[in-house]
Amino acid sequence: PTCERYAVRRLPFGRLADGDVAFFERLLPGRVVTGEEEVKPFNVDWLKSVRGCSQLVLKPQTTAEVSQILRYCHERNLAVSPQGGNTGLVGGSVPVFDEIILSTALMNQIISFDKVSGILVCQAGCVLERLSEYLEEQGFIMPLDLGAKGSCHIGGNVATNAGGLRLLRYGSLRGTVLGLEVVLADGSALDCLTSLRKDNTGYDLKQLFIGSEGTLGVITAVSILCPQKPKAVNVAFLGCQSFAKVLETFTTCRAMLGEILSAYEFMDEKCMELVETHLKLSSPVAGSPFYVLIETSGSNSTHDEEKLNSFLEQAMASGLVTDGTVATDDKKIKVLWSLRERITEALTHEGYVYKYDISLPVGKLYDLVTDMRARLGQSAKNVVGYGHLGDGNLHLNITAESYSHSLLDAIEPFVYEWTARCSGSISAEHGLGFKKRQFIQYSKPREAVVLMQQFKAMLDPKGILNPYKTLPERSTC
Ligand code: FAD
Ligand code: MLT
Ligand code: ZN
């Protein structure tokens, strides 16, 4: 069969036979999911925009079981789609055809936590929010946070190299992940699960798997460096009259808040309209074309509040900011964060969402939204912009009542050409998955793509791991 919208052909993998299911049932008693209805939620992505037709979900609990699964699949030439919390936004976490789904849902054990170093070692299927709760009880936090925290797994976060709301402060997972355990396509386990801040013994192999979106190996355990829980957290939610003022506010707040700045997020008025309409959230700040959320995290509340207040006074006095509110208690902080974090959810109420996740020089971040709005006119329901401004990361989202090929043609490749002209990235943090893989050349030279394909061929010669994802079809290179 061919997947029509994307015109993809099934590769010649083996087909699941009764003997295969019997083998897995012996290996994972009670942890094999079959039956169309039971498998359905694993076949559909979070956005409900792509759908596979797998007949089998496997839920291993140990690395040894993952090894045995992959050894068997490798021998039988059966394709496998690794899946964590299935919150990915580029169609990478669900099968395209009948790939077996290897779910990390039951690999949810914390292995160790060292309170002196702040290093956490855990299995890949731990839910991010559970890890955060566990750490907070001990005075630490995870170095990453995202709106999908209640469902996403740390293994999925590492596999996508998720960015999120704390990257500005704690950096990318490429810096905070210290070690990984990975099972390769042939079932062999690679133990790079070290907990060292420094280790220059040859190539840093774990980096290959961070952001590899399940195409090079299955991540089974993660060692990650966690910061101390800040003693004082403040959030300011502010209204700005133009994007130029959003940028100037960023410059000012970086200068005045310095080391305590931990997030600088922005959203346009359309986003605010959507969270208010669809989620019934109400904002204490209204009537502005742009909103920014500024978070500070520090160790001395008096000092931090003083700094924040003098920044706010200056921002108001100079007209950078026209309205705003500040939260110091947990409850109000959560309310303000949800206005920004829940935009993704609000958008799904609109109908179909065309999602773009772009890195750009920060000064040009909103020009893409304006240009796209002008280009699409009435053919789109909404064109909105929000994102991690402090990281130069725009989330451009276009909504319509339902999917339409002509609207897609109006958006792509325009959006990618626009991004490439600015030397941006067509995927800042979500990955390429199934939806974006054919556009990799807008952000990577041919030589880099060829080298990636060589790595893939070396680590997964039969191509059984998450086929049709991340790398383009060979013919395009
Ligand atoms: P899945 O969706 O299950 O999988 C994602 C990819 O990783 C797939 O290719 C899959 O095959 C692979 N994979 C999963 N587990 C493994 C494993 N153990 N080994 C190998 N490969 C694996 N992303 C950001 O970067 N920043 C954000 O701020 C952000 N916010 C989000 C908010 C919402 C509401 C939602 C729905 C998503 C958001 N995302 C964000 C998308 C983000 O990619 C995911 O939320 C998260 O990182 C994926 O984790 P997951 O466990 O759900 O992985
Ligand atoms: C976010 O920053 O909210 C996430 O990356 C999800 C999205 O892009 O909608
Ligand atoms: Zn994001």
Side-chain angles (χ1 to χ4, degrees):
T2 303
C3 178
E4 270 178 37
R5 188 189 299 171
Y6 300 97
V8 179
R9 290 209 143 269
R10 186 184 183 280
L11 292 170
F13 295 113
R15 292 198 185 263
L16 196 67
D18 290 347
D20 300 321
V21 179
F23 170 83
F24 291 123
E25 274 168 349
R26 277 196 305 279
L27 179 67
L28 312 167
R31 291 179 281 128
V32 171
V33 183
T34 54
E36 203 180 321
E37 276 311 300
E38 290 76 3
V39 177
K40 202 172 165 185
F42 299 87
N43 266 322
V44 183
D45 70 325
W46 189 90
L47 286 169
K48 301 203 168 22
S49 60
V50 284
R51 183 183 301 261
C53 49
S54 179
Q55 298 157 346
L56 186 67
V57 181
L58 303 177
K59 294 186 174 176
Q61 284 175 321
T62 65
T63 304
E65 288 174 349
V66 175
S67 275
Q68 283 171 281
I69 292 168
L70 289 187
R71 192 173 309 125
Y72 183 87
C73 290
H74 191 251
E75 270 168 30
R76 283 270 299 115
N77 196 31
L78 294 168
V80 176
S81 184
Q83 189 176 94
N86 196 12
T87 66
L89 298 172
V90 287
S93 55
V94 294
V96 177
F97 295 99
D98 56 347
E99 298 87 276
I100 293 171
I101 298 167
L102 192 162
S103 164
T104 52
L106 300 181
M107 301 187 72
N108 53 10
Q109 299 301 306
I110 291 173
I111 298 167
S112 65
F113 178 62
D114 183 321
K115 276 189 91 159
V116 178
S117 62
I119 296 167
L120 172 77
V121 183
C122 66
Q123 281 191 300
C126 291
V127 171
L128 181 60
E129 194 166 46
R130 296 285 90 74
L131 292 176
S132 297
E133 286 163 359
Y134 169 83
L135 288 174
E136 285 195 26
E137 281 167 20
Q138 322 211 34
F140 285 80
I141 57 169
M142 287 297 283
L144 80 161
D145 184 26
L146 30 124
K149 56 177 146 295
S151 312
C152 64
H153 297 182
I154 188 66
N157 298 146
V158 173
T160 53
N161 188 24
L165 309 164
R166 289 184 185 154
L167 188 135
L168 180 71
R169 175 63 163 271
Y170 301 113
S172 117
L173 287 172
R174 295 199 181 280
T176 51
V177 170
L178 302 179
L180 288 182
E181 179 188 64
V182 180
V183 176
L184 302 180
D186 66 359
S188 52
L190 178 69
D191 182 355
C192 290
L193 196 61
T194 51
S195 291
L196 306 168
R197 292 295 300 275
K198 302 176 83 172
D199 176 16
N200 279 353
T201 50
Y203 307 138
D204 188 359
L205 293 178
K206 69 173 181 292
Q207 296 295 349
L208 257 186
F209 299 95
I210 301 176
S212 66
E213 301 182 78
T215 62
L216 297 181
V218 175
I219 298 166
T220 48
V222 176
S223 166
I224 187 163
L225 182 65
C226 303
Q228 291 267 350
K229 183 176 179 200
K231 290 196 178 66
V233 177
N234 297 302
V235 168
F237 198 87
L238 312 171
C240 292
Q241 292 306 311
S242 67
F243 190 70
K245 292 201 167 161
V246 170
L247 291 174
E248 222 183 306
T249 306
F250 180 50
T251 315
T252 311
C253 101
R254 276 223 290 199
M256 295 187 69
L257 298 176
E259 79 293 346
I260 63 167
L261 178 66
S262 55
Y264 192 97
E265 298 283 319
F266 93 103
M267 58 198 271
D268 64 17
E269 62 185 337
K270 272 282 163 208
C271 294
M272 183 62 88
E273 227 176 272
L274 297 182
V275 294
E276 286 179 334
T277 310
H278 297 304
L279 308 178
K280 309 285 175 243
L281 302 184
S282 69
S283 171
V285 186
S288 299
F290 293 95
Y291 298 93
V292 301
L293 185 151
I294 296 170
E295 186 192 72
T296 64
S297 304
S299 56
N300 182 325
S301 55
T302 319
H303 163 267
D304 294 2
E305 276 168 39
E306 256 171 37
K307 270 181 127 170
L308 184 61
N309 288 337
S310 61
F311 154 72
L312 289 172
E313 271 165 31
Q314 161 135 356
M316 294 290 240
S318 58
L320 288 181
V321 163
T322 41
D323 193 6
T325 183
V326 176
T328 49
D329 68 282
D330 278 1
K331 206 167 154 213
K332 190 171 172 200
I333 286 176
K334 278 206 174 76
V335 169
L336 294 180
W337 261 117
S338 60
L339 293 167
R340 161 64 187 88
E341 272 185 78
R342 294 184 67 191
I343 299 169
T344 317
E345 183 190 340
L347 282 159
T348 63
H349 292 258
E350 286 272 281
Y352 190 86
V353 185
Y354 301 82
K355 218 168 222 315
Y356 300 92
D357 164 37
I358 311 282
S359 268
L360 287 171
V362 69
K364 295 193 176 139
L365 213 65
Y366 204 73
D367 292 350
L368 178 54
V369 183
T370 317
D371 284 4
M372 188 61 84
R373 215 172 257 152
R375 179 178 171 84
L376 300 181
Q378 296 304 309
S379 57
K381 196 168 165 186
N382 273 307
V383 177
V384 309
Y386 58 98
H388 317 288
L389 185 130
D391 310 325
N393 182 180
L394 167 73
H395 293 313
L396 164 70
N397 284 236
I398 297 146
T399 64
E401 287 301 337
S402 57
Y403 172 79
S404 122
H405 208 76
S406 61
L407 183 54
L408 184 67
D409 283 346
I411 302 169
E412 300 177 6
F414 174 82
V415 62
Y416 300 126
E417 288 165 354
W418 201 105
T419 304
R421 273 198 302 279
C422 297
S423 309
S425 169
I426 64 150
S427 173
E429 56 174 12
H430 297 161
L432 295 167
F434 179 61
K435 291 183 178 176
K436 312 262 160 108
R437 66 176 184 137
Q438 292 305 115
F439 303 105
I440 191 171
Q441 75 277 5
Y442 287 99
S443 292
K444 284 287 188 302
R446 187 179 173 279
E447 296 73 18
V449 177
V450 169
L451 197 55
M452 288 186 206
Q453 281 165 332
Q454 287 169 348
F455 278 124
K456 169 74 175 172
M458 184 182 77
L459 289 170
D460 179 14
K462 293 185 173 180
I464 61 165
L465 275 179
N466 226 7
Y468 327 104
K469 312 285 173 58
T470 311
L471 293 174
E473 272 180 285
R474 284 230 170 227
S475 57
T476 59
C477 266

